[in-house]
Amino acid sequence: MKTGLTLLALTTLMTAFTSGVVVDPPTSNPFFSTYNTPFGVPPFDQIKPEHFEPAIEEGIRQQTAEIAAITKQTAAPTFANTVEAVEASGDLLRRVNTVLGNLNGANTNDQLQKIAQSVAPKLAKHSDDIMLNPVLFNRVKAVYESRTKLKLSGDQQRLLEKMYKNFVRNGAALTTDKQDRLRQINGELSVLTLKFGQNLLAENNAYTLVIDKTDDLNGLPASVVAGAADEAKKRKLGDDKWVFTLQNPSIMPFLQYADNRALREKLFRAYLERGNHNDEHDNKAIMAKMVALRAEKAQLLGYDSHAAYGLEESMAQTPEKVAQLLNQLWSATVPVAKQEAADLQAMMDRTGKGEKLASWDWRYYAEKLRKEKYALDEQELRPYFSLENVREGIFTLTNRLYGLRFERRADVPTYHEEAVAYEVKEADGRHLGLMYMDFHPRASKRGGAWMTSYRRQEVDNGQKITPVVSIVCNFSKPTGNAPALLTLDETTTFFHEFGHALHGLLSNVHYGSQSGTSVPRDFVELPSQIMENWAVEPEMLRLFAKHYQTGAVIPDALIDKIKKSSLFNQGFETSEYLAASLLDMAYHTLKPGQTPTDVLTFEKQAMDKIGLIDQIPPRYRSTYFQHIFAGGYSAGYYSYIWSAVLDADAFEVFKQKGLFDPKSAQSFRKNVLEKGGTEDPMTLYRNFRGAEPDIKPLLRRRGLMKDV
């Protein structure tokens, strides 16, 4: 997930740069005018790549002037003339960078990527110019030191505390020589981060498995074959070819159903080796350099490791607490995973081929075992999970919980023809915000699924500014005459990202830097992951899971199979996730000088140390671990499981009081979704739940309780 803005609104997404003064900016650039669009969304139909750099230059000129006005004033520092003034600075720059960053993820091209690479070090420099401005820091510090004498509201106190800490955490208290080195590190990291992500996108787009023999399609469902045929036609390869890619809707069904073991191995190896071909798109040296620079930066700032630095402002607070949770779960998971591997090997042994279970076999034989144990074929489910039905189901759920209404708006400009816009309204018809949805893979879109924001909710001059959010996914495409039919995993992903969107839409704060998803990483997944619970509840399924052809509601027999199989393969799924989380921590608890020269050897040693079985690779190997090297989750990938403890415990309220209980929903809205980063996350959680979270609901949900 890509979240909205952090507290550092002053550094505009931590991206801004310094340049010469731009006088009288050309009015032809849409960024220089008030957006004359419905709801004030970006005028995507007018924005061209050449508009970005001039707009960024003008944005930085404006913010530089705003910061100078704060530092040059003779009046004593106050909350209003310093803290609020810094918070309000950089509006144009923020708007431009938001569009550039979002397009670079969802609809990029070579020109945008070059622009992003060009401005990255300049953006980092300007961020440093603000954070390392001694006069500005001293003014903020003066307000902070007098905070007990000020009559500040709770959100004002938190804004002040966070701003002061962020100055310190970004080097404001360092000596000049250390600040100079910090500037160099930040500039290098900004470029390396972009390059890692761009390399991965290129790797995902470069590989195809082309099949020209129908026998090699044996075992694959008709819908998967049809999708591969469509992909071949799209690539103008003819009617007798089928193309499979490294996009999840393509590779995962192939691994799950294809009888041809050699081709499963070939495709999976290509997936595992992304960013590891010793060519222009190789990520090994890039990520090793990033690990080293992050460790050095942490040491400069007085921390033992990057993890210690990154976790200080999280719910977990320390690497030790993260390790405690991960190790507790790991010890419970390993026996389950080993038993699952033994069960799959036993199934393979029955074929009489003498083959040993490998990573490219797991999904294939797990699917067969699922059918054998639960008579559940995932292909039976997909006709009930058309994209339209799932979307309408989510709309129904949010209406019943929060009274929200969603209305399609064809008059709103979008950044791509596949993106659709919805106006979101309160139960009484009041406008709440705007939401984009963009569902299917394409070459211009990075992999995965995420929520992002084009405009944060805040109050400006007494007027509430409504949010503009977006969810971007890579779901299965329509094939032939059939609509897009989602897998159960894609369905829960849709619910997940919608939960993030609700966090942004329902935000009700004063300061933009505290809006919506501007919370610690290990709290931001609570609103998203709690939504996943509804996706598979029988009462909810009967509302939206309807056959796309007949309209028949999903049979109780299928619902029962889903419920009974919910614990199936949890050893695998939990192991691959925890392995990636532990790999993240292994890299980011290193001290300066400990960076591995061979990252693949380091990765193997880290996985051997925890006892990861050979048949299960970590969910993300080092060279394509976008979350931690290009996605803002460094030393934070654990946050999904931390939040899983929260969401499993929080959902107990709805299980006890009713799936659509309005009072519980209102409490969750008021105490969590609306509050953003205005209060301590654990305080917000306790306000909703009445107590701190218990790990037992999560362990029960994953079938791990008996091993703890």
Side-chain angles (χ1 to χ4, degrees):
M1 193 284 308
K2 179 180 179 180
T3 66
L5 302 177
T6 66
L7 180 80
L8 280 180
L10 68 153
T11 58
T12 63
L13 298 168
M14 293 304 292
T15 58
F17 74 94
T18 218
S19 67
V21 173
V22 177
V23 180
D24 296 328
T27 56
S28 60
N29 189 320
F31 288 118
F32 295 142
S33 304
T34 301
Y35 295 160
N36 186 24
T37 57
F39 311 108
V41 303
F44 295 110
D45 52 338
Q46 301 173 31
I47 296 171
K48 297 179 175 60
E50 57 265 28
H51 292 145
F52 284 105
E53 291 195 64
I56 289 174
E57 290 180 1
E58 173 61 14
I60 193 53
R61 186 194 69 80
Q62 291 184 13
Q63 190 177 28
T64 300
E66 291 163 350
I67 296 299
I70 297 170
T71 58
K72 290 179 180 178
Q73 60 186 322
T74 57
T78 66
F79 183 82
N81 71 19
T82 299
V83 176
E84 287 188 318
V86 169
E87 164 76 7
S89 70
D91 179 68
L92 171 60
L93 191 57
R94 184 185 306 112
R95 288 190 288 111
V96 179
N97 279 318
T98 296
V99 176
L100 177 59
N102 284 332
L103 290 185
N104 214 23
N107 191 29
T108 193
N109 55 47
D110 290 343
Q111 195 173 358
L112 285 179
Q113 291 187 10
K114 288 177 182 177
I115 291 169
Q117 286 193 48
S118 173
V119 302
K122 302 171 187 177
L123 299 171
K125 180 181 182 300
H126 175 60
S127 175
D128 286 337
D129 286 345
I130 294 175
M131 301 308 295
L132 301 178
N133 183 319
V135 179
L136 183 63
F137 173 58
N138 285 334
R139 289 188 68 89
V140 172
K141 182 180 180 183
V143 180
Y144 177 75
E145 290 178 341
S146 64
R147 64 192 182 280
T148 57
K149 303 175 184 177
L150 305 177
K151 296 180 180 180
L152 300 178
S153 61
D155 58 342
Q156 290 175 328
Q157 291 176 22
R158 191 161 178 83
L159 178 68
L160 173 59
E161 291 170 1
K162 285 288 185 180
M163 188 176 289
Y164 172 75
K165 287 181 181 178
N166 274 318
F167 270 97
V168 174
R169 283 170 53 79
N170 282 279
L174 296 179
T175 58
T176 302
D177 59 329
K178 289 184 177 180
Q179 287 185 349
D180 290 342
R181 177 55 186 153
L182 185 63
R183 287 175 178 271
Q184 294 174 351
I185 292 172
N186 289 340
E188 288 186 68
L189 283 172
S190 69
V191 175
L192 292 170
T193 299
L194 271 175
K195 184 61 177 171
F196 186 99
Q198 291 174 358
N199 282 350
L200 181 54
L201 179 64
E203 290 280 89
N204 284 336
N205 289 334
Y207 182 86
T208 57
L209 173 65
V210 181
I211 291 178
D212 56 11
K213 298 177 182 177
T214 55
D215 287 350
D216 288 338
L217 301 169
N218 288 346
L220 293 170
S223 61
V224 175
V225 173
D230 287 348
E231 188 66 30
K233 291 174 184 175
K234 174 184 169 185
R235 296 170 184 264
K236 299 181 180 179
L237 297 180
D239 295 333
D240 56 349
K241 299 286 195 302
W242 298 266
V243 170
F244 293 88
T245 71
L246 299 182
Q247 297 283 1
N248 271 9
S250 182
I251 184 176
M252 292 308 166
F254 193 90
L255 295 173
Q256 197 170 359
Y257 295 105
D259 292 337
N260 190 316
R261 189 180 191 230
L263 290 181
R264 292 202 311 270
E265 179 180 359
K266 183 178 181 180
L267 188 59
F268 195 51
R269 284 191 181 278
Y271 183 83
L272 292 175
E273 295 302 318
R274 290 175 295 166
N276 183 34
H277 295 113
N278 300 314
D279 58 10
E280 61 178 332
H281 296 136
D282 194 278
N283 273 335
K284 292 192 294 293
I286 290 174
M287 50 153 296
K289 182 66 172 175
M290 291 180 72
V291 170
L293 289 172
R294 286 170 174 173
E296 183 185 354
K297 178 178 177 178
Q299 186 181 62
L300 273 176
L301 293 167
Y303 297 86
D304 287 341
S305 66
H306 176 72
Y309 168 74
L311 292 170
E312 183 182 48
E313 295 296 292
S314 69
M315 290 185 75
Q317 296 183 325
T318 68
E320 290 74 23
K321 288 185 180 179
V322 173
Q324 181 180 6
L325 173 65
L326 294 180
N327 290 330
Q328 180 183 11
L329 291 167
W330 183 253
S331 63
T333 302
V334 170
V336 179
K338 288 182 176 179
Q339 183 58 55
E340 289 174 358
D343 292 343
L344 297 182
Q345 184 63 60
M347 173 169 273
M348 291 182 71
D349 291 344
R350 294 203 296 270
T351 66
K353 296 180 181 179
E355 296 169 340
K356 295 299 180 184
L357 180 69
S359 53
W360 48 87
D361 297 316
W362 194 291
R363 290 174 175 83
Y364 178 75
Y365 283 99
E367 181 62 23
K368 289 186 175 298
L369 188 58
R370 189 204 320 263
K371 292 179 186 177
E372 183 179 283
K373 292 182 70 171
Y374 305 104
L376 178 62
D377 181 351
E378 193 171 75
Q379 295 305 307
E380 287 184 84
L381 300 177
R382 294 184 68 176
Y384 296 95
F385 295 137
S386 71
L387 179 59
E388 180 180 357
N389 284 348
V390 176
R391 183 186 63 227
E392 292 305 312
I394 292 174
F395 288 170
T396 298
L397 172 62
T398 51
N399 178 262
R400 295 186 67 169
L401 291 176
Y402 308 115
L404 304 185
R405 293 156 44 193
F406 296 82
E407 296 181 7
R408 176 78 180 271
R409 295 295 299 251
D411 59 333
V412 174
T414 63
Y415 59 87
H416 190 277
E417 61 184 9
E418 293 180 355
V420 294
Y422 288 86
E423 181 185 2
V424 187
K425 296 181 178 181
E426 295 277 17
D428 60 7
R430 284 179 296 128
H431 175 77
L432 180 65
L434 196 87
M435 181 177 187
Y436 291 105
M437 299 186 201
D438 180 5
F439 292 116
H440 303 299
R442 54 177 176 267
S444 64
K445 183 194 293 186
R446 69 176 173 89
W450 65 96
M451 169 266 177
T452 186
S453 174
Y454 284 96
R455 184 175 68 222
R456 61 192 188 179
Q457 179 272 316
E458 60 186 329
V459 176
D460 183 24
N461 292 322
Q463 179 184 1
K464 184 174 181 180
I465 307 300
T466 58
V468 177
V469 305
S470 179
I471 58 174
V472 189
C473 306
N474 283 274
F475 292 157
S476 300
K477 295 180 178 180
T479 57
N481 295 323
L485 302 177
L486 306 188
T487 64
L488 184 58
D489 181 64
E490 288 174 329
T491 298
T492 56
T493 296
F494 195 170
F495 275 75
H496 177 105
E497 298 305 335
F498 211 94
H500 283 307
L502 290 175
H503 203 181
L505 287 166
L506 295 175
S507 175
N508 188 22
V509 303
H510 186 89
Y511 300 107
S513 64
Q514 298 174 338
S515 178
T517 55
S518 300
V519 298
R521 286 290 185 193
D522 48 8
F523 189 67
V524 78
E525 300 299 334
L526 168 59
S528 58
Q529 291 180 186
I530 195 172
M531 280 287 285
E532 293 183 40
N533 290 276
W534 275 280
V536 293
E537 283 291 320
E539 190 177 353
M540 184 66 206
L541 284 167
R542 294 186 188 101
L543 289 178
F544 78 91
K546 300 175 182 179
H547 199 284
Y548 79 97
Q549 290 175 313
T550 67
V553 175
I554 187 170
D556 286 348
L558 272 182
I559 294 177
D560 189 53
K561 289 178 182 180
I562 292 173
K563 188 173 183 63
K564 287 182 177 178
S565 65
S566 63
L567 299 182
F568 179 74
N569 213 33
Q570 279 297 312
F572 169 84
E573 293 182 11
T574 307
S575 289
E576 64 160 7
Y577 166 77
L578 289 175
S581 300
L582 289 161
L583 180 61
D584 172 23
M585 296 303 293
Y587 278 120
H588 290 121
T589 50
L590 295 174
K591 293 178 172 56
Q594 296 181 335
T595 304
T597 55
D598 183 342
V599 296
L600 298 183
T601 298
F602 179 85
E603 177 187 288
K604 185 178 186 310
Q605 290 173 344
M607 297 299 93
D608 288 346
K609 181 179 179 180
I610 64 174
L612 180 66
I613 62 177
D614 293 339
Q615 299 91 337
I616 303 179
R619 182 173 296 177
Y620 299 103
R621 296 191 64 202
S622 302
T623 55
Y624 55 87
F625 205 160
Q626 180 159 291
H627 278 78
I628 67 172
F629 293 116
Y633 276 77
S634 59
Y637 191 62
Y638 78 93
S639 61
Y640 289 94
I641 203 77
W642 185 281
S643 292
V645 174
L646 302 179
D647 91 71
D649 183 68
F651 193 66
E652 293 287 302
V653 173
F654 292 94
K655 291 172 68 175
Q656 295 164 6
K657 298 186 177 180
L659 202 60
F660 310 110
D661 179 53
K663 186 176 180 180
S664 299
Q666 185 69 5
S667 175
F668 191 73
R669 175 175 179 169
K670 292 295 183 184
N671 290 303
V672 177
L673 298 177
E674 291 188 356
K675 294 294 187 181
T678 59
E679 295 184 49
D680 174 74
M682 188 58 78
T683 299
L684 296 180
Y685 187 85
R686 283 196 301 263
N687 289 344
F688 165 69
R689 190 69 171 98
E692 294 197 3
D694 186 349
I695 195 175
K696 293 185 180 65
L698 174 67
L699 297 176
R700 286 195 296 268
R701 189 169 74 189
R702 296 190 177 221
L704 306 175
M705 188 73 175
K706 59 183 177 296
D707 297 308
V708 176

